[in-house]
């Protein structure tokens, strides 16, 4: 085997290993981003649910206070 052919073979092996490693790293980063997106969505849903519960929970209370005030005034 000549020196030039060894250099070409070595270079092609290095480039191939680099490409394969790059693809695996890129795929791993993409999976992490997708997982983080799911986690953020779940957190948003929790916060949205809590906000809706607070709104629903806070709405009847003033109405109850108002009705109590009216009944006290009537008596």
């Amino acid at each position: 085997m000549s020196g030039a052919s060894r250099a070409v073979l070595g270079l092609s092996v290095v480039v191939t290993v680099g490409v394969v490693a790059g693809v695996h790293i890129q795929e791993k980063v993409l999976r992490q981003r997708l997982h983080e997106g799911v986690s953020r969505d779940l957190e948003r849903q929790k916060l949205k649910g809590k906000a809706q519960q607070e709104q629903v929970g806070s709405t009847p209370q003033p109405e109850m206070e108002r009705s109590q005030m009216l009944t006290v005034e009537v008596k």
Side-chain angles (χ1 to χ4, degrees):
M1 210 186 240
S2 69
S5 63
R6 286 183 184 173
V8 170
L9 178 62
L11 181 63
S12 65
V13 168
V14 169
V15 168
T16 302
V17 168
V19 168
V20 169
V23 168
H24 281 290
I25 291 170
Q26 186 179 18
E27 192 173 299
K28 187 175 182 179
V29 168
L30 180 62
R31 285 185 183 181
Q32 286 176 345
R33 285 185 186 167
L34 289 172
H35 181 70
E36 289 171 0
V38 170
S39 299
R40 283 192 306 262
D41 287 344
L42 291 174
E43 187 64 31
R44 281 189 209 133
Q45 287 177 355
K46 285 180 187 177
L47 292 174
K48 187 175 180 180
K50 287 180 182 179
Q52 287 177 348
Q53 285 178 352
E54 288 174 0
Q55 284 180 345
V56 170
S58 65
T59 302
Q61 187 175 9
E63 291 175 3
M64 289 174 52
E65 290 175 0
R66 227 180 291 138
S67 66
Q68 288 175 352
M69 291 171 64
L70 291 174
T71 56
V72 169
E73 291 175 5
V74 173
K75 289 182 179 181

